[in-house]
Amino acid sequence: MAALIAENFRFLSLFFKSKDVMIFNGLVALGTVGSEELFSVVAFNCPCSPARNYIYGLAAIGVPALALFLIGVIWNNHTWNLVAECHKRGTKNFSAAATFLLFGSIMGRACVAPITWSVISLLRGEAYICALSEFVKPSSLDKFPAVDGAEVLAKFPCREVPANLTKFRDEVTRRLRYESQLFGWLLIGIVAVLVFLTKCLKHCCSPLSYRQEAYWAQYRSNEDKLFRRTAEVHSRILAAKNVKQFFGFVALDKEEKELVQEFPVEGVQPSPQWNAITGVYIYRENKGFPLYSRLHKWAKGVEGNGPTPEGHELLFLAS
């Protein structure tokens, strides 16, 4: 138990430090595996009762997967960029291809954790056995006693059966575990093929060369990192000035005093500027020169996000 908890804390530490998409997805999958193991040890307890088994088994697989999916959607920056885009500018600048790419990016990233949860649950087989044990046909079991089949079969996951039914319990458990693991491996195979085809399609349809796409990824990462760091310093200095104006002084530590002296902050950016750099970005070129982000476009004084006589939309969203 202590090892599982420690593993999840290490996962969270790496999660917040990770910037690479593949590392991010891998850490999400590993964290989901650890969480599923912890859930199975602590929480999973089949009721072994007709009708309840099915609901409980499906809930044990589906509800956590749904929760993980929603968390993935919430944590994705594209989700809130889309909300901001629809609120401020509508969807008039979106083509069908751009909309498909955007939702594909959001859904694909959000599906990593729930798919991992579902696969691990199916490979373990406990929830599947709990859900479907009562639906095994007694006639498919050789010399099964003429008793209330569903009532007895529902108790098989809990091993609460008479000694004369032990061999039937083992056979039912083995059969359902086989089906559960088969579905788990099939799901892994389907997801692997879809990921492969998606990566191929992305690179085939990308208007950028491999090196330029790598540069764009580095630019986005650096811009986001510098923007967040600068915004944190700017907001701290502005807050210090406002607090000083209210109280007549402000209690700053040595580092904060150096920041206030080094970076003069005169005011705040007006709302139109914030709106201009917020929202979904579709890669564009202007007079042959690339514009790598909304901030880059704003800095160059380019208006709009759709095709213009001086630029063209390439329908390739930042991932």
Side-chain angles (χ1 to χ4, degrees):
M1 180 66 65
L4 286 174
I5 295 175
E7 188 67 24
N8 278 274
F9 275 113
R10 284 196 292 271
F11 155 72
L12 289 174
S13 175
L14 289 172
F15 175 84
F16 287 111
K17 294 178 181 178
S18 173
K19 298 298 182 183
D20 185 81
V21 172
M22 295 301 294
I23 295 177
F24 174 90
N25 291 339
L27 290 175
V28 170
L30 288 175
T32 305
V33 170
S35 300
E36 204 280 338
E37 290 290 336
L38 182 62
F39 173 82
S40 297
V41 172
V42 177
F44 187 82
N45 187 17
C46 185
C48 293
S49 174
R52 295 179 181 177
N53 282 14
Y54 182 70
I55 297 174
Y56 184 83
L58 292 184
I61 299 175
V63 173
L66 176 61
L68 289 170
F69 174 78
L70 293 177
I71 291 173
V73 172
I74 292 171
W75 276 358
N76 195 320
N77 290 334
H78 282 331
T79 302
W80 308 116
N81 283 334
L82 177 62
V83 171
E85 185 76 21
C86 293
H87 176 66
K88 297 296 182 182
R89 288 173 284 269
T91 58
K92 60 181 181 297
N93 293 324
F94 288 165
S95 66
T99 304
F100 175 78
L101 286 171
L102 176 61
F103 278 101
S105 175
I106 295 174
M107 297 298 110
R109 188 80 62 84
C111 284
V112 174
I115 288 177
T116 303
W117 179 279
S118 300
V119 166
I120 297 302
S121 297
L122 290 171
L123 292 180
R124 288 179 61 89
E126 294 179 356
Y128 187 90
I129 293 172
C130 177
L132 297 181
S133 62
E134 64 182 284
F135 297 103
V136 175
K137 293 182 179 180
S139 58
S140 67
L141 302 172
D142 186 33
K143 297 181 181 180
F144 189 79
V147 294
D148 190 355
E151 185 73 26
V152 174
L153 290 169
K155 295 181 179 179
F156 278 9
C158 298
R159 302 179 181 273
E160 298 175 355
V161 295
N164 64 319
L165 296 179
T166 300
K167 66 175 183 178
F168 298 109
R169 182 198 66 201
D170 294 340
E171 181 180 350
V172 169
T173 301
R174 183 168 55 251
R175 183 187 302 179
L176 293 178
R177 192 179 301 277
Y178 152 76
E179 293 178 1
S180 179
Q181 292 183 346
L182 177 62
F183 290 141
W185 290 120
L186 287 175
L187 181 58
I188 291 175
I190 292 171
V191 171
V193 171
L194 289 176
V195 170
F196 172 74
L197 294 177
T198 301
K199 294 290 289 184
C200 291
L201 182 64
K202 175 187 175 184
H203 288 289
C204 289
C205 297
S206 172
L208 305 180
S209 67
Y210 172 78
R211 291 188 179 276
Q212 188 178 10
E213 188 173 338
Y215 177 85
W216 186 25
Q218 292 174 342
Y219 173 85
R220 293 198 311 269
S221 176
N222 289 325
E223 181 189 83
D224 182 68
K225 187 187 306 179
L226 292 172
F227 188 91
R228 290 176 181 273
R229 189 188 307 165
T230 304
E232 196 276 333
V233 173
H234 186 281
S235 61
R236 185 184 303 184
I237 296 173
L238 181 62
K241 289 194 171 188
N242 292 336
V243 171
K244 183 177 181 180
Q245 184 174 355
F246 184 81
F247 287 106
F249 74 95
V250 59
L252 302 174
D253 58 27
K254 182 179 179 180
E255 180 185 356
E256 290 170 335
K257 289 180 181 178
E258 293 175 352
L259 289 176
V260 170
Q261 293 174 357
E262 184 177 359
F263 303 110
V265 174
E266 302 299 333
V268 297
Q269 285 66 34
S271 293
Q273 290 187 10
W274 286 104
N275 294 336
I277 66 170
T278 303
V280 176
Y281 180 68
I282 301 173
Y283 176 83
R284 291 183 59 214
E285 291 182 359
N286 184 259
K287 298 181 179 179
F289 291 94
L291 299 171
Y292 290 120
S293 69
R294 280 195 172 276
L295 182 61
H296 188 191
K297 185 180 67 174
W298 172 85
K300 292 296 184 181
V302 179
E303 298 294 335
N305 194 38
T308 65
E310 297 179 347
H312 59 281
E313 178 187 351
L314 296 183
L315 302 178
F316 192 73
L317 287 142
S319 60

